[in-house]
Amino acid sequence: MFNLYRGLRQLNLFFVALSFFTRLPIPSWVVIDAEKLNQSSRYFGVVGLAIGLISGLIFWLAQLVLPANIAVLLAMVAGVLATGAFHEDGLADTADGFGGGWSVEDKLRIMKDSRLGSYGALAIGLALLLKWQLLVELALYSPMAAISGFVVAHTLSRVLAASLIFSEKYVRDDSGKSKPLAQQQSFNDLLILLASGLFVLLWLNGVAAFALFIILWCVRFLLGSLFRRQIGGYTGDTLGAAQQVSEIVCYLVILVVGLS
């Protein structure tokens, strides 16, 4: 009975994470509150794995009857629909805030503005174009290389973004437009989160896995330093930006190292 209770509790936390990151339906019995939202950060990487598998499946089915570049585009659309462009919105808001604001207050004010600025539009456009091109190159090498890219990148990018909750300060702005955000992360939550990231590295060969591990730690350090310098910590938007940047880095590293 005790193990069943613990299992249901962990399943509840996973569904909380799923509801936070995606538009996918969750059971009606799931309980969501601030405490469970904080604890659910341990499963953000698992949610990324689910999104990567959805995108990979759409790509696999599409490439059976369509050219690789179209199949990649459809897979990307599936990923965006599954998440509601949650992370892309964060990237756009972060680009607008960091690019258009002078003070911390200005940057936070711009970031919570629902209107899309020129910096945000450029960031989204360039990010999508770069992801599409990198994935097409992987797909032209082999369909499995692209599927591995989807799975690994979607998972590890969310692990990296969520791990910033553990080490960085949350910049509170209660008047923001965004949904509730995990603001605390225990060491146990962090270990479970990192374990999901290490699991998907098994999709890659040893050299690629090691290179990706080292490079993503460097990216995490640079992004954390940038966020502290710009606004003194992190917000939901900057976590979205971190996910988008690290997803692109994953595709790039897999293309350069994983296929060699």
Side-chain angles (χ1 to χ4, degrees):
M1 181 65 68
F2 180 69
N3 289 334
L4 177 61
Y5 171 78
R6 292 185 62 182
L8 290 175
R9 181 176 177 274
Q10 296 305 310
L11 188 60
N12 188 97
L13 292 178
F14 167 72
F15 281 127
V16 171
L18 192 70
S19 69
F20 177 72
F21 262 149
T22 76
R23 298 287 181 86
L24 301 178
I26 62 172
S28 58
W29 53 262
V30 174
V31 178
I32 302 177
D33 55 35
E35 179 184 4
K36 291 182 175 59
L37 178 58
N38 285 327
Q39 294 176 342
S40 73
S41 66
R42 65 178 65 179
Y43 292 123
F44 285 1
V46 181
V47 173
L49 174 61
I51 297 170
L53 289 172
I54 291 172
S55 298
L57 176 61
I58 296 300
F59 167 76
W60 174 258
L61 294 175
Q63 62 87 34
L64 295 175
V65 295
L66 294 170
N69 57 342
I70 303 299
V72 166
L73 182 59
L74 291 176
M76 290 176 60
V77 170
V80 171
L81 290 176
T83 62
F86 187 58
H87 308 292
E88 288 81 1
D89 179 66
L91 173 65
D93 288 340
T94 300
D96 280 334
F98 288 9
W102 290 95
S103 66
V104 172
E105 292 74 18
D106 285 341
K107 292 171 184 177
L108 291 174
R109 175 181 54 79
I110 294 172
M111 288 166 66
K112 70 181 182 182
D113 192 330
S114 60
R115 292 171 295 182
L116 180 64
S118 56
Y119 291 107
L122 283 170
I124 289 181
L126 292 174
L128 291 174
L129 179 61
L130 187 53
K131 284 193 282 187
W132 177 78
Q133 185 63 65
L134 291 170
L135 283 162
V136 167
E137 292 299 322
L138 288 173
L140 292 176
Y141 182 84
S142 75
M144 187 53 63
I147 293 173
S148 297
F150 279 118
V151 172
V152 171
H154 277 288
T155 305
L156 292 183
S157 61
R158 285 164 177 82
V159 169
L160 185 150
S163 72
L164 292 170
I165 300 173
F166 180 79
S167 60
E168 305 301 323
K169 175 185 176 183
Y170 174 62
V171 183
R172 183 178 299 276
D173 190 350
D174 294 330
S175 61
K177 61 181 173 59
S178 61
K179 61 198 323 186
L181 174 68
Q183 301 172 18
Q184 298 175 0
Q185 187 176 76
S186 69
F187 185 66
N188 186 51
D189 294 332
L190 178 65
L191 289 180
I192 296 173
L193 176 71
L194 295 178
S196 65
L198 292 175
F199 172 77
V200 300
L201 286 177
L202 298 176
W203 284 70
L204 305 174
N205 63 58
V207 175
F210 180 75
L212 196 53
F213 180 83
I214 297 300
I215 291 172
L216 285 181
W217 271 110
C218 294
V219 171
R220 184 188 184 280
F221 172 79
L222 292 174
L223 288 174
S225 299
L226 173 65
F227 298 158
R228 287 193 299 272
R229 186 169 65 252
Q230 290 287 332
I231 57 175
Y234 77 90
T235 67
D237 286 328
T238 61
L239 293 186
Q243 187 278 324
Q244 289 287 290
V245 170
S246 53
E247 182 184 343
I248 292 172
V249 170
C250 286
Y251 296 138
L252 184 60
V253 173
I254 292 172
L255 182 63
V256 173
V257 182
L259 304 182
S260 59

